[in-house]
């Protein structure tokens, strides 16, 4: 069952076509990667899915709901992590996750369960009780990923979840995403410039360039179809041909 359906999506900014007829579908429980060079249209696509941008034309549905006509309902199903998500410097990680749980669920049992899951996903141990202004970039990102996933959305949209992180923090976040998707059956869409990350986490991948989808399939299918030893080689080949 396709839980996310994108058909002929177009977005124009002041005469510039950022998206030129993007189409893809994502199955329930799938981890789906959107990869491409800077400016390819990844973030624009994700912001439309998250109801933060209106499309110029085309159709986008999440769980059968149109993201324009039924945006309020879609927002209750989707959790979005932007590439440059900020943190509250003078809150502790615990206080931040507790606050976000209560924003979603009030002060009842659901909020307590979300907080418990968020603390587990963040994996910061006793440092979760320190103020976030003392956190490294990796620790802040782990808190933000935990915030996006702890509410158990039907669809989690993660824009560059490991951007700028070292190997240790990147690996920890990849593991959290993969294990979370498997355990809870949540559908995850993510973008990344790290091809090994994409191969290790994603079930299927779409390559986007200049606002168009150039290819879509599993990592193995893309390598076989486009003659690349690695996914990075496939991306370079496709982007070169699509220039």
């Amino acid at each position: 069952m396709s839980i996310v359906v994108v058909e002929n999506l177009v977005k124009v900014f002041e005469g510039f076509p950022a998206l030129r007829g993007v189409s893809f579908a994502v199955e329930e429980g799938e981890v789906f990667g959107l990869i491409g060079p800077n400016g390819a249209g990844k973030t624009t696509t994700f912001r439309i899915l998250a109801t933060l941008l209106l499309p110029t034309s085309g159709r986008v549905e999440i769980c059968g709901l149109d993201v324009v006509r039924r945006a309020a309902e879609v927002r209750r199903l989707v959790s979005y992590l932007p590439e440059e998500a900020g943190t509250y410097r003078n809150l502790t990680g615990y206080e931040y996750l507790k606050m976000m749980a209560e924003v979603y669920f009030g002060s009842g049992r659901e909020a307590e369960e979300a907080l418990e899951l968020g603390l587990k996903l963040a994996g910061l141990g006793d440092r979760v009780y320190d103020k976030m202004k003392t956190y490294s970039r990796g620790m802040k990102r782990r808190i933000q990923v935990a915030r996006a996933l702890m509410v158990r959305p039907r669809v989690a949209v993660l824009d560059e979840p490991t951007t700028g992180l070292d190997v240790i923090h990147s690996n920890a976040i990849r593991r959290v995403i993969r294990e979370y998707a498997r355990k809870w059956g949540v559908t995850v869409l993510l973008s990344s410039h790290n091809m090994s990350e994409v191969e290790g986490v994603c079930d299927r991948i779409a390559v986007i360039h200049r606002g168009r989808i150039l290819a879509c399939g599993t990592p193995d299918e893309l390598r076989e179809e486009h003659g690349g030893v690695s996914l990075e080689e496939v991306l370079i080949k496709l982007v070169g041909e699509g220039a």
Side-chain angles (χ1 to χ4, degrees), residues 32-44 46 82-84 137 141 158-165 170 174 177 189-202 205-210 230-236 239:
F32 185 87
L34 191 61
I35 64 173
N38 290 333
K42 302 184 295 296
T43 295
T44 299
F46 280 179
E83 181 178 357
E84 295 296 337
R137 184 170 184 175
R141 202 61 175 166
L158 311 177
D159 195 356
E160 297 284 352
T162 63
T163 183
L165 302 189
S170 294
R174 285 198 298 270
I177 293 170
L189 287 82
L190 65 85
S191 66
S192 178
H193 286 101
N194 185 324
M195 294 301 100
S196 63
E197 173 175 291
V198 170
E199 290 195 70
V201 174
C202 296
I205 299 159
V207 178
I208 186 171
H209 181 48
R210 295 185 175 179
S230 67
L231 196 57
E232 185 175 87
E233 290 180 358
V234 171
L235 176 62
I236 292 170
V239 168

Side-chain angles (χ1 to χ4, degrees), residues 14-79:
E14 298 181 352
F16 173 75
L19 300 177
R20 309 167 184 245
V22 167
S23 297
F24 61 86
V26 183
E27 303 305 305
E28 188 167 12
E30 187 174 32
V31 180
F32 185 87
L34 191 61
I35 64 173
N38 290 333
K42 302 184 295 296
T43 295
T44 299
T45 300
F46 280 179
R47 286 178 177 170
I48 292 172
L49 290 174
T51 75
L52 299 177
L53 279 179
L54 290 173
T56 301
S57 63
R59 179 173 73 98
V60 180
E61 289 186 357
I62 295 180
C63 300
L65 303 175
D66 185 279
V67 300
V68 175
R69 295 195 301 269
R70 303 178 71 176
E73 294 170 82
V74 170
R75 290 185 194 117
R76 289 195 286 269
L77 303 174
V78 176
S79 184

Side-chain angles (χ1 to χ4, degrees), residues 16 63 70 97 113 116 179:
F16 173 75
C63 300
R70 303 178 71 176
L97 293 176
E113 291 175 350
E116 183 179 345
E179 291 178 356

Side-chain angles (χ1 to χ4, degrees), residues 78-81 97 104 121 143-153 155-158 180:
V78 176
S79 184
Y80 174 58
L81 175 65
L97 293 176
Y104 275 88
L121 292 172
I143 282 285
Q144 288 292 355
V145 169
R147 185 273 305 166
L149 298 179
M150 72 182 190
V151 296
R152 299 184 189 174
V155 177
V157 181
L158 311 177
Y180 181 88

